[in-house]
Amino acid sequence: MSAIAAVVLAAGAGTRMKSAKPKVMHEVGGRPMISHLLGTVGALDPAKVVVVTSPNMETVQKEVAPAEIAIQQEALGTGHAVAAALDSLAGFSGDVLILYGDTPLIEAETLRKMIAKRRESAKCAVVVLGFEPDDPLEYGRLVTDANGNLTAIVEFADANAEERAVGLCNSGVMAIDAAHLADLIKAVDNKNAKGEYYLTDIVEIAIKRGLTCAYVKGAEDELLGVNNRAQLAEAEAIAQSRWRAAAMTAGATLIDPETVWFSHDTKLGRDVVIEPGVFFGPGVTVGDNVRIKAYSHLEGTTIGEKSQIGPFARLRPGAEIAGDVKIGNFVEVKKSQIETGAKVSHLSYIGDARIGAEANIGAGTITCNYDGYDKFKTDIGAGAFIGSNTALVAPVKVGDGAIVGAGSTISKDVAADALGIERAEEKQKAGWAKRFRDLKKKVRK
């Protein structure tokens, strides 16, 4: 089977994004758009990937590693951008996909269809991915002959009224026979309304040389190009819809799907129940039979089977939640291990800590892990009981089976099975409250 290469155009500054960072670095589901695209390309097992950037795009170049980088020194059009990649493709034999870093939603199966179409005929030099949007706007149009063969791509600015009436639009994505790519690109000129080198001109050039061109249709949703913040939000909505559908198909229950937000890498087990308003940041893995209650925020965490999280819980990076754990309302966990059967039921902060199996953490417990300069660890043993409103001043250890009295500030280790308690002596003054009230009434007369 012939090899596949991909050229990804990512040189655009994205001025309409009104942003200091390159357009393709804006995220969908917590992942840069260009990384979504490269992940899709990776599913095709390409022999070579070349990313075309403008100068001084180090953040993009770092993100796409180990892809090869080609530099487009000036922004002179898509044809000029592909020309920048030609040296990287020297000697390559097979099919070359031309893709765009700001089109993150295209699917691998669509690209496979393009490759298959290109390989149907040895004379077919170019396959273009077209689509039929509800509103064609200013997309370039795909012009076909009576037999449905692709004869030209006309940019909107150069199209006449008849061509603008065509509903079949150009996505910009192409599959090109590498044997013809360099010759076709070198034949492109800039004699058009914008004075740019249009990649789309290679269709007419190929036909004039006795080659053929074809097209396949893709879905409008997957071909959305992101040029501004509104389109970025639209891409996010499409991706979220896909991920929600996939989660439910795989055996998770989403009580109100439209209110659940996934990251690109969220992993859910079977029979997981997700209540409304849950947000998954990057790096979350959830085991079987877990329930995540409403309005919880999770990021960089693993959750073992049969655990319950929330409502209104926050799991931050490094939170490792074992099975049968309860993390209740208004609990924040960061960089901590919560072992099997432990309970942190409400109004607590657990940071840089280990909570042993079957331990119980009372309401209002705080692990005081930061002294303004460094972080320190709290270690709570299996079966320990921490009373409500306890401050654990790290570094500190509470042994297995120990009890800490409510309201304590613990700064020294508590031995296994011991009681740790730290309170000021309670004093009572008989009749004081009545004298106080009487005094206040007298003053106010």
Side-chain angles (χ1 to χ4, degrees), residues 82 94-98 118 125-127 174-181 184-185 199 202:
V82 175
D95 293 290
V96 180
L97 289 165
I98 309 298
R118 218 290 309 154
V126 180
V127 172
M174 294 184 180
I176 305 170
D177 186 345
H180 302 293
L181 177 61
L184 293 174
I185 291 297
L199 176 63
I202 68 172

Side-chain angles (χ1 to χ4, degrees), residues 299-302 315-321 333-337 353:
E299 180 180 4
T301 184
T302 58
L315 302 184
R316 292 170 57 192
E320 300 175 11
I321 312 300
V333 182
K334 186 272 296 185
K335 200 177 180 182
S336 298
Q337 298 78 47

Side-chain angles (χ1 to χ4, degrees), residues 2 23 40 62 129-130 176 203 224 239 324 339 346 351 359 361 396 401:
S2 298
K23 177 173 63 171
T40 301
K62 182 178 179 180
L129 182 57
I176 305 170
V203 170
L224 174 68
D324 279 318
E339 296 181 356
H346 26 233
I361 308 300
V396 70

Side-chain angles (χ1 to χ4, degrees), residues 333-373:
V333 182
K334 186 272 296 185
K335 200 177 180 182
S336 298
Q337 298 78 47
I338 315 298
E339 296 181 356
T340 303
K343 295 178 175 62
V344 190
S345 295
H346 26 233
L347 301 163
S348 295
Y349 170 69
I350 307 297
D352 297 280
R354 180 188 73 91
I355 310 298
E358 304 295 335
N360 187 89
I361 308 300
T365 295
I366 302 295
T367 56
C368 307
N369 59 329
Y370 185 50
D371 66 358
Y373 295 92

